[in-house]
Amino acid sequence: MIKNNTDISKFLSYVLRHQPEAVGLTLDKNGWAELTDLIVCAEQQGYLLSAAIIQEVVASSDKKRFTLSEDGLRIRAAQGHSTQQVDIAYKEKTPPAILYHGTADRFIEAIREQGLIPMSRQYVHLSSDEVTAIQVGKRHGKPVVLKIKALDMYEKGFRFYQAENGVWLSNSIPYEFIQES
């Protein structure tokens, strides 16, 4: 069955970020999967993929969710993993003064109590602009944008990383560094 790029992207997100074992795929500790293995596993799920189709999905992804290896033989999700078998070694980076986190209004009380925590993911995800944060928040309900005093955090010893697709990552964000809009 032929699927459109959105369906393929959702399938890739599912298997490369969350449940590779659900389709019999194995990721290495840095999140890489062999393209040939992915194609075979995808076919068993009704996705007729090829290296060219995967390359097109990767290239056309506005959020740059996936990365192909330099030799084009492997693929991984840039960030957002919930599977504990993956531990990408992101380089620590000095953040800008302010980063943003999009969420839904129904989560604000919990955030006030415990700050931002990764929940099922490995990191808290942050964006460098409010527009992206609003889009993220809309996926979960009525959006709320939180301003994160990232540079203040960094200067107090908290670590920040940036994934290949520009998403900022941190282990947690204490509420004292969060400003509600």
Side-chain angles (χ1 to χ4, degrees), residues 13 21 77 81 108 140 158:
S13 287
E21 65 278 358
H81 299 88
I108 293 300
H140 305 289
F158 290 87

Side-chain angles (χ1 to χ4, degrees), residues 1-16 23 38 42-43 45-49 53-54 56-58 60-62 65-66:
M1 172 185 301
I2 295 182
K3 307 277 185 175
N4 64 38
N5 282 5
T6 301
D7 291 336
I8 294 169
S9 181
K10 286 180 181 181
F11 171 77
L12 293 177
S13 287
Y14 175 68
V15 300
L16 296 175
V23 298
L38 175 60
E43 186 174 339
Q45 302 298 313
Y47 292 84
L48 296 178
L49 300 183
I53 290 170
I54 293 170
E56 178 187 332
V57 170
V58 170
S60 66
S61 170
D62 60 338
R65 287 188 171 106
F66 313 105

Side-chain angles (χ1 to χ4, degrees), residues 38-172:
L38 175 60
I39 291 167
V40 168
C41 291
E43 186 174 339
Q44 295 169 354
Q45 302 298 313
Y47 292 84
L48 296 178
L49 300 183
S50 66
I53 290 170
I54 293 170
Q55 289 167 353
E56 178 187 332
V57 170
V58 170
S60 66
S61 170
D62 60 338
K63 294 183 180 177
K64 304 296 178 204
R65 287 188 171 106
F66 313 105
T67 304
L68 288 171
S69 61
E70 288 184 25
D71 61 10
L73 300 177
R74 298 177 301 150
I75 186 172
R76 73 177 177 190
Q79 43 60 231
H81 299 88
S82 63
T83 179
Q84 296 306 309
Q85 72 187 52
V86 173
D87 186 19
I88 298 175
Y90 298 107
K91 284 187 178 181
E92 188 175 336
K93 192 170 179 182
T94 304
I98 300 292
L99 289 171
Y100 302 91
H101 180 80
T103 190
D105 63 349
R106 71 179 185 270
F107 300 127
I108 293 300
E109 200 54 47
I111 292 168
R112 287 179 184 138
E113 291 175 16
Q114 59 190 9
L116 291 169
I117 57 175
M119 303 300 281
S120 64
R121 294 186 177 178
Q122 294 176 343
Y123 296 96
V124 174
H125 294 194
L126 306 166
S127 61
S128 55
D129 64 273
E130 289 183 81
V131 173
T132 301
I134 291 168
Q135 291 172 343
V136 170
K138 283 181 179 179
R139 291 190 311 212
H140 305 289
K142 184 179 175 190
V144 173
V145 175
L146 304 174
K147 286 185 178 182
I148 310 303
K149 298 180 227 170
L151 189 57
D152 287 352
M153 281 183 64
Y154 184 78
E155 290 171 348
K156 288 189 171 61
F158 290 87
R159 293 189 169 124
F160 285 83
Y161 312 93
Q162 193 172 31
E164 295 162 347
N165 63 356
V167 173
W168 284 89
L169 308 167
S170 187
N171 293 316
S172 65

